[in-house]
Amino acid sequence: MKRQKRFEKLEKRPVHQDGFVQEWDDEGLVAMHSKNDPEPSIKIENGEITELDGKQKADFDLIDQYIAEYGINIDNAEKANAMDSNAIAKMLIDPNVPRSEVVKVTTALTPMKASDVINKLNFGEMIQAVQKMRPRRTPFTQAHVTNTLDNPVEIAADAAEAALRGFPELETTTAVARYAPLNAISIMVGSQSGRPGVITQCSVEEAVELGLGMRGFTAYAETISVYGTDKVFTDGDDTPWSKGFLASCYASRGLKMRFSSGSGSEVLMGYTEGKSMLYLESRCIYITKASGVQGLQNGSVSCIGIPGAVPSGIREVLGENLMCMMMDLECASSNDQTFSHSDIRRTARMLGQFIAGTDYISSGYAAEENSDNTFAGSNMDVLDYDDYETMERDLCVNGSILPITEEQSIKIRNKGAKAIQAVFDGLGLPAITDEEVEAATYGSTSGDMPKRDMTGDIKAAQDLMDRGVTVSDVIRALANHGFDDVAQAVFKLAQQKICGDYLQTSAIFDKDWNCISAINDRNDYQGPGTGYRLWEDKDQWNKIKNIPWALDPQKVEF
């Protein structure tokens, strides 16, 4: 067949490497409005929910039961659910209705009623609503710090640079599970070298992750997953109650935590009950609220390829972020897992959260090149820094990533690498050579690093755990090697777990260890002249607008 030349060229565009499918309601391949979604309903008798979204109490599954018992503001439920969904949707974007008043209604809705409200909003309206409904006034973001060789020196150097660039939270994981203690220590020490006050986590198996936190090697957790159907829950040997118990374990040890969920997970697991992704995600959000957890990482997260393949999928993702905020929860709004070969499309995927601002615009911007990202790659990585920072400057938006100079990067990476070198020496771990420090200072990927004896590292990690090493030993090692400022920062971080202030909704620390949360930095947006304005945050705006590659027209020589 003779081809039309323009169509031949179009087919070679990167977007054609992405996967797209038509909707299939019965298998859950529908972002919003499945024909199998229930009708919103609620009935309360003697202070007890006896009907929820078309189900009688006798027919409740585990998730229905948990939500009915703990997840809905029952005092206002009948009145709120009787309201027209369009009227509630208008409240979300009406600047004359304070967020505090909206939350009284939205926390009383049923999961399907909340989904119906989201269904009424177009993408632009969702951006308006997110700007108003996020709990914390000031937006921030979060980064992944990993590498495929679990190299501790590179983790520390990348963490130090990410901290200097403005990330208040950093997350690592492992390529080899038994590296977890070394990775957790490396990201903690590196981040405190870059900027005191950054909190870190190591995403691994839940019991191991909790153990690392109890030893003081981590400060928060977020990869405690919840799901929207019973079969997916029980397939993982879990129930809503077991997740709620685990959340209590973290909180009782002074560790900040949030759950994780995201549209598409039930599709991948094969148990959708024919429901829409938005409705199933609403159940996850309500489980989080019912468990008393302060926040949620959602927005499809690692399942983004599923909603990204169906119509209105990216709209649904922003909608589920918004629903999280409607439940008065901290929202770490994903933008982490890579899903598209198209630069245009991956920017569009982030745009809603970026423009509106969320508690964490990305819950995993890659602070390494994606080839080194053991979370399977992020929507944006270190090689996008300059583009991202230019977007912040172009739009006068606080995306929470700051430009730095090459000289600043070299200096802080070297400090982070030397600090972890000192810790390894002080804890009797396999030595980090000066050659490794130099390579981490100037390198970009694990391929730039000298090879370590990974078997020796793994054995040392197990020995460290067997010896009962804790954060106190890390602090002592830093102090004994002259890193007094980093030792003091790690000590301050340990103190915060006793104080517990940062267990509040949307909490982060600034460089002076002031806790900034939805309690003392409450989002007060009510239209123009209110809420967070980057140009009023003069220090942050000056840093963002003064990108190193901008010329000073008064000093240009011809």
Side-chain angles (χ1 to χ4, degrees):
M1 185 181 87
K2 186 174 182 179
R3 298 296 309 278
Q4 209 282 334
K5 293 186 181 299
R6 186 170 297 160
F7 274 77
E8 286 185 308
K9 292 177 180 178
L10 283 170
E11 286 175 6
K12 295 177 182 178
R13 294 281 294 173
V15 73
H16 283 275
Q17 298 178 58
D18 296 352
F20 300 94
V21 297
Q22 300 295 336
E23 292 175 321
W24 187 5
D25 290 41
D26 290 339
E27 292 301 326
L29 281 168
V30 55
M32 310 167 83
H33 300 289
S34 171
K35 68 180 183 181
N36 301 309
D37 285 346
E39 289 296 318
S41 71
I42 193 166
K43 188 174 182 180
I44 300 171
E45 297 177 314
N46 299 318
E48 184 178 354
I49 295 176
T50 57
E51 180 183 322
L52 182 65
D53 290 337
K55 282 187 184 179
Q56 300 301 311
K57 184 178 179 182
D59 299 320
F60 284 178
D61 61 19
L62 291 173
I63 295 173
D64 294 321
Q65 184 181 345
Y66 195 72
I67 292 170
E69 289 188 19
Y70 308 113
I72 295 173
N73 175 10
I74 198 169
D75 294 336
N76 197 35
E78 290 183 317
K79 180 181 177 181
N81 284 279
M83 293 177 65
D84 179 69
S85 294
N86 277 310
I88 300 172
K90 288 175 182 177
M91 291 175 68
L92 290 171
I93 64 172
D94 186 345
N96 297 303
V97 183
R99 180 185 185 277
S100 58
E101 293 301 312
V102 179
V103 167
K104 291 176 184 177
V105 173
T106 54
T107 54
L109 302 178
T110 69
M112 190 60 231
K113 184 68 172 182
S115 300
D116 193 47
V117 171
I118 295 296
N119 284 332
K120 306 300 183 187
L121 299 167
N122 65 31
F123 195 77
E125 290 162 344
M126 287 180 184
I127 292 175
Q128 290 178 267
V130 167
Q131 181 173 225
K132 172 178 168 179
M133 294 305 296
R134 70 171 182 266
R136 190 181 57 234
R137 188 175 190 266
T138 310
F140 283 95
T141 196
Q142 184 216 86
H144 291 159
V145 182
T146 71
N147 62 77
T148 55
L149 297 178
D150 288 324
N151 187 293
V153 204
E154 186 184 355
I155 288 175
D158 280 342
E161 180 177 337
L164 184 64
R165 285 185 179 271
F167 293 96
E169 283 191 1
L170 299 176
E171 175 187 15
T172 193
T173 187
T174 60
V176 178
R178 291 167 66 190
Y179 257 99
L182 302 188
N183 290 11
I185 292 170
S186 298
I187 193 173
M188 176 180 67
V189 170
S191 64
Q192 299 308 317
S193 301
R195 195 271 278 178
V198 174
I199 61 174
T200 56
Q201 68 153 315
C202 183
S203 174
V204 286
E205 188 273 328
E206 289 171 351
V208 174
E209 190 167 350
L210 180 59
L212 294 173
M214 292 173 66
R215 288 173 184 255
F217 298 155
T218 62
Y220 80 104
E222 74 177 1
T223 47
I224 292 82
S225 299
V226 292
Y227 306 98
T229 64
D230 271 13
K231 285 188 176 180
V232 177
F233 248 122
T234 55
D235 194 54
D237 296 323
D238 267 313
T239 70
W241 283 268
S242 66
K243 293 295 187 179
F245 178 77
L246 183 59
S248 299
C249 293
Y250 277 97
S252 67
R253 272 73 177 178
L255 292 157
K256 177 182 175 178
M257 71 91 61
R258 52 179 168 261
F259 282 167
S260 284
S261 63
S263 53
S265 62
E266 298 84 8
V267 179
L268 288 171
M269 296 289 283
Y271 300 118
T272 66
E273 300 176 358
K275 305 300 194 297
S276 70
M277 298 179 199
L278 178 63
Y279 170 65
L280 294 182
E281 177 58 20
S282 74
R283 284 157 62 88
C284 299
I285 295 167
Y286 276 74
I287 291 167
T288 305
K289 185 69 173 178
S291 298
V293 176
Q294 65 84 35
L296 179 68
Q297 174 186 220
N298 82 340
S300 194
V301 197
S302 58
C303 306
I304 185 63
I306 301 298
V310 299
S312 202
I314 300 306
R315 171 177 167 242
E316 186 280 333
V317 168
L318 183 59
E320 67 183 76
N321 292 152
L322 172 57
M323 192 189 297
C324 179
M325 301 169 200
M326 288 162 57
M327 296 305 115
D328 205 21
L329 297 170
E330 171 190 83
C331 182
S333 55
S334 187
N335 283 307
D336 50 3
Q337 180 84 44
T338 185
F339 85 111
S340 177
H341 297 82
S342 165
D343 287 345
I344 294 174
R345 196 162 178 246
R346 65 191 181 93
T347 303
R349 184 260 179 273
M350 181 193 73
L351 208 57
Q353 296 86 353
F354 180 79
I355 292 173
T358 70
D359 292 320
Y360 302 95
I361 295 165
S362 295
S363 46
Y365 189 111
E368 64 287 312
E369 293 189 35
N370 263 340
S371 60
D372 250 344
N373 190 329
T374 50
F375 285 104
S378 290
N379 193 51
M380 294 198 173
D381 73 357
V382 289
L383 300 184
D384 296 308
Y385 272 150
D386 290 359
D387 298 85
Y388 187 99
E389 290 157 8
T390 301
M391 284 175 59
E392 292 179 290
R393 187 178 188 264
D394 287 343
L395 302 178
C396 193
V397 163
N398 183 7
S400 187
I401 302 179
L402 301 174
I404 62 174
T405 65
E406 183 176 355
E407 291 75 16
Q408 288 175 307
S409 173
I410 290 169
K411 182 178 179 180
I412 208 67
R413 293 180 67 85
N414 186 256
K415 181 180 179 181
K418 286 184 174 179
I420 198 63
Q421 181 186 43
V423 169
F424 268 49
D425 182 62
L427 298 182
L429 299 171
I432 292 172
T433 66
D434 290 342
E435 180 188 7
E436 290 178 275
V437 170
E438 182 82 355
T441 300
Y442 291 95
S444 184
T445 72
S446 56
D448 300 319
M449 298 295 298
K451 295 295 185 287
R452 288 183 62 81
D453 177 5
M454 295 183 70
T455 301
D457 279 347
I458 290 169
K459 289 179 178 179
Q462 185 59 56
D463 177 64
L464 177 145
M465 299 297 279
D466 293 342
R467 286 188 282 134
V469 172
T470 70
V471 69
S472 299
D473 301 294
V474 175
I475 295 166
R476 185 179 301 110
L478 287 163
N480 288 343
H481 286 74
F483 287 89
D484 292 343
D485 60 333
V486 184
Q488 183 66 24
V490 176
F491 176 66
K492 286 275 190 183
L493 182 60
Q495 283 184 314
Q496 295 300 327
K497 296 169 192 173
I498 300 171
C499 177
D501 276 357
Y502 82 120
L503 302 186
Q504 302 290 349
T505 304
S506 308
I508 57 104
F509 294 111
D510 67 13
K511 64 182 178 61
D512 298 313
W513 295 98
N514 296 307
C515 186
I516 302 167
S517 74
I519 304 298
N520 61 359
D521 189 35
R522 179 177 54 83
N523 187 5
D524 58 355
Y525 178 81
Q526 282 190 255
T530 67
Y532 182 84
R533 308 273 156 173
L534 177 55
W535 59 86
E536 293 175 356
D537 187 352
K538 293 182 180 179
D539 181 60
Q540 188 80 347
W541 178 224
N542 283 333
K543 291 174 181 176
I544 286 172
K545 69 183 181 180
N546 289 316
I547 51 177
W549 52 95
L551 299 176
D552 183 343
Q554 298 183 65
K555 296 181 180 179
V556 173
E557 296 182 4
F558 297 98

